[in-house]
Amino acid sequence: MTDTVVEETGAGSGVGLRVLVTGSAGFIGGYVVEELLARGYAVTGIDNYSKYGPVTKSYDSHPRYRFVEGDVRDVDLMVDLLADCDHLIAGAALIGGISYFHTYPYDLLATNERIMAATCDAAIRVLPAGRLQKVTYLSSSMVFESTEHWPSVEGDERKIAPPLSSYGFQKLAVEYFAKAAWDQYQVPFTIVRPFNCVGVGEGRALGDVEIPSGNVKLAMSHVVPDLIQKVLKGQDPLHVLGDGQQVRHYTYGADLARGIVTAMESEPALNEDFNLSTAQSTTVLELAELIWAKCHGDGRPFAFVSDEAFEHDVAKRVPDVTKAREVLGFTADTTLDDMLDIVVPWVRQAMADGII
């Protein structure tokens, strides 16, 4: 790892350049497109709406944004879209909260492998034309699923036991795809690993099975919106998975997008990998108590009960964020308290509108 520190590039850095974002209608994808447009890039987004169905984004009519409804597994389509792009951010994937990858283990593995192979095939085909500069791959903190020491440092994913969940295993495969495409075809890459994205815009996924949690049923989602919904629906005591001592690093979506685009732009990031995360550890129980206070606001005593944990509910996800800070100049500074001030009202309105 180099000790070179580079400043995060500001707005206007992307003028004259075009980026293809796969999975642009997704949760993190939406934040990434906003960040790219803010920096002056032209953006082509592709998504098949397979998770949420058609969604409306604030930037849909932006003059520098072009959206294509299509399947990333269509290599010919990807080649056509990528031919006039300078960068590719590979974000398309079947993804969801912990209940999602326990319910669809095969679909996640098989579909995501096909998405990644097609993405790399397209990059390999357009690379000789000389315009594509790099592919930035979105991996996951789940590559560290089997670790027994913390914090997780870049490189640990190749030293520890492989992930036990099919989702974690496939995200590790994403990194092998990136490195193999470089080894054989010299497709330049950067790998980024977002940790526990928190934000707005995540609706009810198509085909979701409702999971009972005490007296409330929820569609498969992530821990923050699920806990908010349960509190807003009046659950008391609040049901949490396991003992609530699971450690996570809840990171704001806009911060992650800033890190992803900074990594895409960075020359020192070439053929490197980065953990993108807040440095702040939070237990699920601490999160739940903070959400409880935000939602009630009346000093009501917090009470909880434990539900049986999922098989692959990792006890600790704790990243080392030194490399991203030293090489990219990136830190994720939005506090969990500030995130919840944004997300709680959004979930409240989304429940009222029937979005979730």
Side-chain angles (χ1 to χ4, degrees):
M1 180 177 67
T2 178
D3 291 327
T4 303
V5 178
V6 297
E7 295 297 325
E8 289 189 70
T9 309
S13 55
V15 173
L17 300 177
R18 178 170 289 276
V19 182
L20 175 61
V21 179
T22 68
S24 61
F27 185 33
I28 294 180
Y31 281 105
V32 169
V33 171
E34 288 181 335
E35 181 69 18
L36 287 166
L37 292 172
R39 296 197 192 194
Y41 290 94
V43 180
T44 299
I46 179 172
D47 204 295
N48 65 356
Y49 290 143
S50 63
K51 184 169 184 184
Y52 302 120
V55 294
T56 300
K57 298 289 189 179
S58 61
Y59 47 76
D60 285 342
S61 60
H62 195 288
R64 283 187 278 107
Y65 182 64
R66 173 194 177 200
F67 176 74
V68 176
E69 184 177 351
D71 196 320
V72 176
R73 292 169 291 184
D74 184 340
V75 179
D76 289 338
L77 173 61
M78 285 288 291
V79 168
D80 288 344
L81 297 178
L82 197 52
D84 68 346
C85 291
D86 304 277
H87 283 276
L88 166 59
I89 296 180
L94 285 182
I95 188 172
I98 185 169
S99 53
Y100 199 92
F101 60 76
H102 280 82
T103 303
Y104 299 124
Y106 177 79
D107 291 349
L108 286 169
L109 181 64
T111 302
N112 288 342
E113 289 291 275
R114 293 175 182 126
I115 288 171
M116 191 48 51
T119 300
C120 289
D121 286 346
I124 290 165
R125 281 174 55 179
V126 305
L127 190 67
R131 177 157 181 174
L132 180 65
Q133 297 179 28
K134 188 172 67 173
V135 182
T136 301
Y137 297 85
L138 268 62
S139 180
S140 168
S141 62
M142 283 293 286
V143 301
F144 301 120
E145 179 182 353
S146 296
T147 191
E148 295 180 349
H149 64 271
W150 299 271
S152 295
V153 180
E154 292 87 348
D156 282 356
E157 72 285 348
R158 293 202 168 204
K159 300 174 184 176
I160 61 176
L164 295 176
S165 68
S166 63
Y167 176 72
F169 184 86
Q170 196 283 318
K171 298 312 284 188
L172 182 60
V174 167
E175 304 191 10
Y176 277 79
F177 268 100
K179 292 173 182 177
W182 165 256
D183 289 342
Q184 186 171 351
Y185 295 101
Q186 289 72 59
V187 179
F189 71 87
T190 295
I191 295 166
V192 293
R193 303 186 191 96
F195 276 69
N196 295 100
C197 181
V198 176
V200 300
E202 186 181 24
R204 179 183 292 267
L206 298 177
D208 269 356
V209 178
E210 289 194 324
I211 303 296
S213 180
N215 63 329
V216 173
K217 288 185 177 181
L218 296 171
M220 290 178 289
S221 185
H222 291 93
V223 61
V224 172
D226 276 2
L227 286 173
I228 293 171
Q229 287 180 74
K230 285 191 283 191
V231 175
L232 292 177
K233 290 178 179 180
Q235 191 176 80
D236 187 359
L238 181 63
H239 286 245
V240 300
L241 288 175
D243 61 8
Q245 296 306 311
Q246 307 95 314
V247 176
R248 300 290 184 264
H249 279 231
Y250 299 106
T251 311
Y252 188 43
D255 286 348
L256 288 174
R258 181 166 46 84
I260 291 165
V261 177
T262 298
M264 181 200 79
E265 294 177 334
S266 170
E267 291 185 11
L270 181 64
N271 295 356
E272 294 286 348
D273 58 326
F274 299 92
N275 297 333
L276 299 182
S277 175
T278 176
Q280 180 63 48
S281 293
T282 304
T283 68
V284 170
L285 207 55
E286 289 170 337
L287 169 69
E289 191 162 6
L290 185 55
I291 288 172
W292 181 277
K294 291 279 185 186
C295 291
H296 286 309
D298 57 5
R300 189 179 312 183
F302 173 68
F304 78 98
V305 294
S306 295
D307 289 345
E308 183 178 355
F310 284 101
E311 178 183 0
H312 300 303
D313 193 4
V314 180
K316 293 176 71 174
R317 291 186 202 163
V318 180
D320 188 300
V321 296
T322 305
K323 185 177 180 181
R325 184 180 67 248
E326 293 184 349
V327 177
L328 304 177
F330 169 77
T331 58
D333 297 324
T334 306
T335 67
L336 182 57
D337 191 68
D338 287 342
M339 289 180 233
L340 293 178
D341 282 341
I342 297 168
V343 178
V344 169
W346 185 88
V347 171
R348 193 189 302 271
Q349 187 60 51
M351 289 172 60
D353 294 341
I355 297 173
I356 59 177

